[in-house]
Structures are given as C-alpha cells and as structure tokens.
C-alpha cells in the first residue's frame, strides 16, 4: 500500500492548553508511543449490538467480548503495514480493547500523522503538543477511530481536598470532624459478615505512589490485620513513584487505597499507574478491564476533567472503553469533581466532569455528613462556599440521556441549546473535607475530602456485594434507576443544599444523584 493520500480524523482537533504558549521545537529523535483505537468487528445479521447485549443484562467473558466486539485481526494487519511503511514499530496489540500501541521518533510520528508537534510551556510545566486535526491514510479512514499520545499534556486532575489547605505542608492530625473509613461504612450501614474476599478492586492512578510502610501504619492503626494485599501494575512505563509531597498525587493514591482497603480488607487491590496523558489514562482503563491475571470486578477512578477539556475522539473512545468494561461485568466508579456545577471552568456555563459523565460510569457525588451517637444526624450537599469546594454534578453536553435515566426527571442542560444529556451524579457519599476521612500518606496523618473519597468507598461496597452475591453486580446504573423508586431505603435521599446552579430535592438530583448508600 502507498499510504500517500490522507484524510483528517474527525473529532481529533486540539487547541493549546489554556495559558500555554509554543516555546520552540522538539528533539526530532525523541522516542514516543502512541495508542490507536480501532473500530469493532462488524456486527453480523445474527449478532446483536453491544448496546443490546448490555441492555439484556448478559455478561460477556473477555474471550467472548474479544471474539465478537474486539478488533478485527485484518484491521490490525493493515495498521501494522502502515506502521512498517512509515518507520514505526508495533509495541502492543490488545484485540479486546481494540488498541494498537506504536513507538517511534517524534519526527516519524509527525510525518506519519501529518501533524506539527512542538514544545508548549505553561505555568508549572511543559508538554509536547499539537494543534489542529490528526490526519490518517485513506486506507485507514474507516478503521482507526482515534489517535492518542501525540500530545502529552496533563489530561486529568485529582479530586481530593485537604481539610486545611492553608497549612497543607504540616497538616493537623484531624479536622474538627473526621472519620475513619470504618466509621463511614458503619453509619452508611454497609453489610457485615463480608470483607471482599475473592474480589479484586482496580484503582487507576495518574501519578504519585504509595509506600508499604504508610499502608502498614494505617491499617495497623485501624486494627486491620493482615493488611490488605496491594499490588502496583505499570501502564505505559509509569511506576509506583511517591513524590513525598502530600499536596500532590500521593494523597490521591493513599486515599483511594486506604478507603477501599479499610472497607473491603479481604479484597485484592491492584493499582494501575499510568502517565497523566490522554493515551495513558485510556490505556489504564483498558488494561484494568481486560486484565486476565488480576480480573477486577470493580474499577475506582478519582481523576477527571471537564468535558470541554477533552477532544471529541477521546470522549468517544473512553466511553467505548467504559462500555466494554460494563459488557464484561465490571463496575466503574468515578468521582464527579470538586468544583461545583461549572467544574472549575469559569466561563459562566455549566460543565460536568469526565469520565464520570460517561453513561457507563457510576458517577459519585459528594455530601457533608453530620454524625451524632454513631448515627447520621444530618447530610446535605457538599458545598463549602469559603474554599470553593463543592460536589460536581449537572447535565452532560456530550452524552444523550440514557433510556434508564428517562424517568429520573433529569433537567435539560441550562447551556445554549438545552441539550437533553446524561445527568450526573448517580450516587453520593461523604466528601466534605470538614467531615473528611483520616488518611496516612508520606509519613503524615491528616484529613482529606473530595469526591475522590466517594469512588473508592462505593467500589469497596460493591466488592462486598459481589462477594455476598457470588457474582459481580456489573453495570449497575440501569438497575439503580429501575428499582430505586420502588425500594425506599436503598438510599438516603439528600434534599438540602446546592452545588451552584443545581439544587438538591426529593428523588434524583444533579448534586447527589439518588443520595448516599444504605449499604444493607
């Protein structure tokens, strides 16, 4: 094949990061890796669509999913031929995830995808960037869905908040009110008699790391012995690498592990460390959901960014990856952000956080929790006006309202066009730093909040349920919306407070979803 005629890849357009400026050229010999997402196998006349399979409640094994909806080996061969002809190497093929990872030099990639690559600088860092669209050979126009990794800007942010950010370097031992995850689980009536044995909770991290000494200290302090099994898995070369700074991603990593591990100490916890890039984050989701060694039944994600900060191709490819996880019976719990109804964008419009806004995510919002005498005395929407921290939530401008959400009274978007989008969040839990979680990181004990805590809390609850049921609950969203109206007591309905542009009220709302869990 000649590969000399090109077309622009729809949805691949990029602009520089806000505040970033081009600052020179790149080393043409810099070695980089890029992930291509491919189309699924063509559905035959006898083969139902993946959406129909998920709607039927059927779970596919990874082998079934790969054979029916994975990449077509013939498509892979065409991409391999393209790579070889242009001087790129194939580093990895994941047929189930429909991805191919290519490696090569910066100059070769720029030529292969006809895109200018340059160095961009912004306050706090620099990245390899591109502007405009990616181009692909006409021979691949119907095969390649998206290209990730040409641009390696930071793609996502953590969703934790320190209880005392003004004194974060030397944190106080605890806020005025703080809880261990065990206390949170108790007031939310999590089931007893199960500990997550036989389950694997996957946690995706895009930076930072953990130390066994911190984990040992923490779990010993809670009286949990032996400590939960925690294993690090490298994605795209990233490693478990603590920074030593609690203001950075170490706190995210430790919060996620400690909440999940305390609530489900019998579960295996596998932490997938990936680069904080468009490619790294996608590869981590795919690697976790198709991991035949660790076999997670639940994935916890506490990273994300406003939908408006993603390319259209990324929104769709991540959504497809989350759909695949759902089809294989994996529940994906995702924090929905800590910046209220505008998700920190500040353009006067409403924004929701992604990947929480994917219809295949269990989007986790935040509350402020009052406890008296071991029971909940009050619970309202988390919105700390003084620090600006508030639960994310609202209406997607990307994903149409799913059929299972049609009767939940999700309002249309308040943005121009009034799109009837997916409502966020689905569920909630304690996220206010002022009623936060006691954690241990980088040798210090302190209190943390944010919706980052809610995703692993729900992931741990689902691990307990999976153990109890003997099967993974899998894609939970349709069931939650079908059954909750007729099952009073499934959730604690949060009816007071707002996250900026949306107010809490009876039933589902765009601040706390259905509410916080009654775990039993």
């Amino acid at each position: 094949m000649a590969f000399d005629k090109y077309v622009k890849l729809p949805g691949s357009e990029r602009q520089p990061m806000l505040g970033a400026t081009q600052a020179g050229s790149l080393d043409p010999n810099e070695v980089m890796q890029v992930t291509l997402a491919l189309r699924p196998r063509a559905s035959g006349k006898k083969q139902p669509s993946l959406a129909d399979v998920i709607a039927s409640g059927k779970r596919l094994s990874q082998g079934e999913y790969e054979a029916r909806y994975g990449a077509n080996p013939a498509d892979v061969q065409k991409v391999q031929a393209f790579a070889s002809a242009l001087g790129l190497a194939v580093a990895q093929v994941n047929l189930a995830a429909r991805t191919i990872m290519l490696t090569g030099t910066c100059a070769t990639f720029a030529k292969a995808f006809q895109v200018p690559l340059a160095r961009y600088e912004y306050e706090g860092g620099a990245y390899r960037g591109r502007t405009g669209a990616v181009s692909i050979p006409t021979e691949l126009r119907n095969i390649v869905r998206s290209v990730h990794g040409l641009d390696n800007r930071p793609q996502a942010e953590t969703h934790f908040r320190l209880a005392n950010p003004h004194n974060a370097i030397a944190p106080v031992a605890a806020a005025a009110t703080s809880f261990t995850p065990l206390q949170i689980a108790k007031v939310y009536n999590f089931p007893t008699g199960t500990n997550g044995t036989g389950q694997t909770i996957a946690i995706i991290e895009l930076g930072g790391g953990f130390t066994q000494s911190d984990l040992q200290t923490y779990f010993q302090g809670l009286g949990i012995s032996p400590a939960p099994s925690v294993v690090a898995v490298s994605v795209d070369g990233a490693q478990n690498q603590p920074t030593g700074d609690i203001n950075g991603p170490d706190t995210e990593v430790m919060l996620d592990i400690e909440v999940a591990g305390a609530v489900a100490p019998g579960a295996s916890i596998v932490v997938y460390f990936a680069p904080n890039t468009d490619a790294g984050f996608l590869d981590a989701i795919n690697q976790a959901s198709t991991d035949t060694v660790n076999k997670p039944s639940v994935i916890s994600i506490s990273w994300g960014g406003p939908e408006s900060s993603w390319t259209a191709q990324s929104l769709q490819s991540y959504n497809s990856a989350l759909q695949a996880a759902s089809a294989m019976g994996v529940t994906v719990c995702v924090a929905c952000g800590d910046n209220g109804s505008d998700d920190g964008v500040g353009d006067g419009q409403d924004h929701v956080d992604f990947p929480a806004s994917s219809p295949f995510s269990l989007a986790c919002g935040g509350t402020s929790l009052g406890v008296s005498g071991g029971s909940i005395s009050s619970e309202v929407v988390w919105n700390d006006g003084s620090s600006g921290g508030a639960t994310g939530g609202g209406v997607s401008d990307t994903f149409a309202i799913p059929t299972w959400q049609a009767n939940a009274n999700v309002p249309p978007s308040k943005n121009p066009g009034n799109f009837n989008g997916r409502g966020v969040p689905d569920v909630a839990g304690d996220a206010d730093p002022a009623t936060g979680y006691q954690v241990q990181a980088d040798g210090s004990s302190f209190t943390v909040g944010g919706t980052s805590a809610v995703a692993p809390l729900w992931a741990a609850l689902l691990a307990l349920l999976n153990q109890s049921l003997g099967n993974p609950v899998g894609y939970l969203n349709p069931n939650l919306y079908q059954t909750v109206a007729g099952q009073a007591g499934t959730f604690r309905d949060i009816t007071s407070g707002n996250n900026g542009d949306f107010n809490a009220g009876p039933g589902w709302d765009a601040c706390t979803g259905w509410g916080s869990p009654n775990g039993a």
Side-chain angles (χ1 to χ4, degrees):
M1 294 185 189
F3 301 114
D4 54 0
K5 293 182 179 177
Y6 275 70
V7 292
K8 293 191 185 304
L9 186 61
S12 63
E13 296 79 9
R14 270 280 200 201
Q15 299 296 327
M17 270 178 66
L18 196 64
T21 55
Q22 190 170 331
S25 56
L26 296 163
D27 175 1
N29 296 313
E30 174 193 341
V31 176
M32 47 189 277
Q33 57 190 34
V34 169
T35 297
L36 277 60
L38 309 187
R39 65 183 176 184
R41 289 174 183 264
S43 295
K45 290 181 180 178
K46 296 181 180 179
Q47 175 143 301
S49 71
L50 187 56
D52 288 341
V53 171
I54 292 174
S56 74
K58 178 175 170 54
R59 309 275 171 75
L60 300 176
S61 68
Q62 186 187 324
E64 288 174 322
Y65 180 85
E66 180 181 313
R68 292 165 62 179
Y69 304 100
N72 188 324
D75 287 348
V76 172
Q77 288 179 350
K78 289 178 182 175
V79 175
Q80 288 173 325
F82 157 71
S84 177
L86 273 293
L88 299 169
V90 176
Q92 191 180 73
V93 176
N94 186 333
L95 288 174
R98 305 198 300 271
T99 58
I100 299 179
M101 185 185 295
L102 305 179
T103 61
T105 66
C106 182
T108 307
F109 272 112
K111 180 182 176 184
F113 291 99
Q114 296 195 346
V115 61
L117 299 175
R119 175 183 169 86
Y120 289 81
E121 293 182 351
Y122 62 96
E123 187 178 352
Y127 68 94
R128 180 185 67 241
R130 65 176 181 85
T131 57
V134 174
S135 293
I136 56 173
T138 54
E139 293 89 343
L140 303 181
R141 71 188 308 171
N142 296 318
I143 293 174
V144 174
R145 290 279 177 88
S146 57
V147 177
H148 308 267
L150 293 166
D151 185 305
N152 69 352
R153 72 185 69 190
Q155 183 59 60
E157 296 180 347
T158 58
H159 290 327
F160 74 85
R161 296 267 174 147
L162 297 170
N164 55 327
H166 303 299
N167 191 25
I169 300 302
V172 293
T177 305
S178 63
F179 304 99
T180 69
L182 297 177
Q183 291 170 322
I184 296 284
K186 187 173 183 182
V187 298
Y188 282 147
N189 202 20
F190 279 20
T192 55
T194 56
N195 66 358
T197 296
Q199 303 301 311
T200 297
I201 300 171
I203 297 175
I204 291 176
E205 302 293 358
L206 306 178
F210 64 87
T211 63
Q212 291 294 345
S213 58
D214 271 328
L215 294 178
Q216 201 68 32
T217 299
Y218 185 77
F219 290 117
Q220 274 182 352
L222 294 180
I224 295 173
S225 182
S229 165
V230 182
V231 174
V233 172
S234 171
V235 179
D236 296 354
Q239 303 288 337
N240 171 26
Q241 207 159 16
T243 65
D245 178 6
I246 67 162
N247 296 285
D250 291 356
T251 293
E252 181 62 74
V253 175
M254 298 304 284
L255 172 68
D256 294 344
I257 295 172
E258 289 167 355
V259 170
V263 176
S268 297
I269 295 177
V270 181
V271 189
Y272 297 80
F273 286 98
N276 183 10
T277 63
D278 181 32
F281 198 174
L282 177 64
D283 291 342
I285 294 170
N286 281 323
Q287 191 163 327
S289 64
T290 62
D291 187 340
T292 55
V293 175
N294 296 296
K295 300 177 181 174
S297 60
V298 190
I299 298 174
S300 178
I301 300 175
S302 293
W303 298 69
E307 283 182 339
S308 58
S309 68
W310 301 75
T311 61
Q313 65 165 5
S314 293
L315 291 166
Q316 296 308 323
S317 289
Y318 278 65
N319 190 56
S320 292
L322 295 166
Q323 183 185 35
S326 301
M328 292 184 280
V330 180
T331 317
V332 187
C333 305
V334 187
C336 71
D338 300 344
N339 291 301
S341 58
D342 81 339
D343 208 23
V345 175
D347 63 356
Q349 297 191 6
D350 295 325
H351 295 270
V352 290
D353 212 73
F354 183 80
S357 67
S358 164
F360 301 102
S361 294
L362 182 71
C364 300
T367 68
S368 182
L369 183 69
V371 175
S372 177
S375 299
I376 297 174
S377 56
S378 69
E379 194 168 13
V380 299
V381 177
W382 167 45
N383 186 348
D384 180 357
S386 62
S387 73
T391 181
V395 180
S396 172
D397 280 327
T398 300
F399 301 103
I401 188 166
T403 53
W404 41 261
Q405 218 175 28
N407 296 319
N409 298 317
V410 177
S413 170
K414 297 182 181 183
N415 295 337
N418 305 119
F419 183 63
N420 288 311
R422 144 77 155 143
V424 177
D426 302 299
V427 297
D430 180 34
D432 187 346
T435 63
Y437 298 69
Q438 297 168 18
V439 300
Q440 168 91 16
D442 297 322
S444 299
S445 298
F446 51 100
T447 301
V448 182
T451 56
S452 274
V454 188
L457 182 73
W458 270 90
L461 171 59
L462 294 176
L464 301 181
L465 297 180
N466 290 345
Q467 179 193 2
S468 178
L469 292 167
N471 282 300
V473 297
Y475 184 38
L476 195 58
N477 296 19
N479 289 337
L480 289 183
Y481 284 81
Q482 284 172 13
T483 60
V484 73
Q487 292 184 359
T490 306
F491 291 93
R492 179 182 179 86
D493 194 6
I494 312 302
T495 58
S496 179
N498 67 78
N499 69 347
D501 226 4
F502 297 96
N503 295 301
W508 184 91
D509 58 62
C511 300
T512 58
W514 289 113
S516 58
N518 178 351

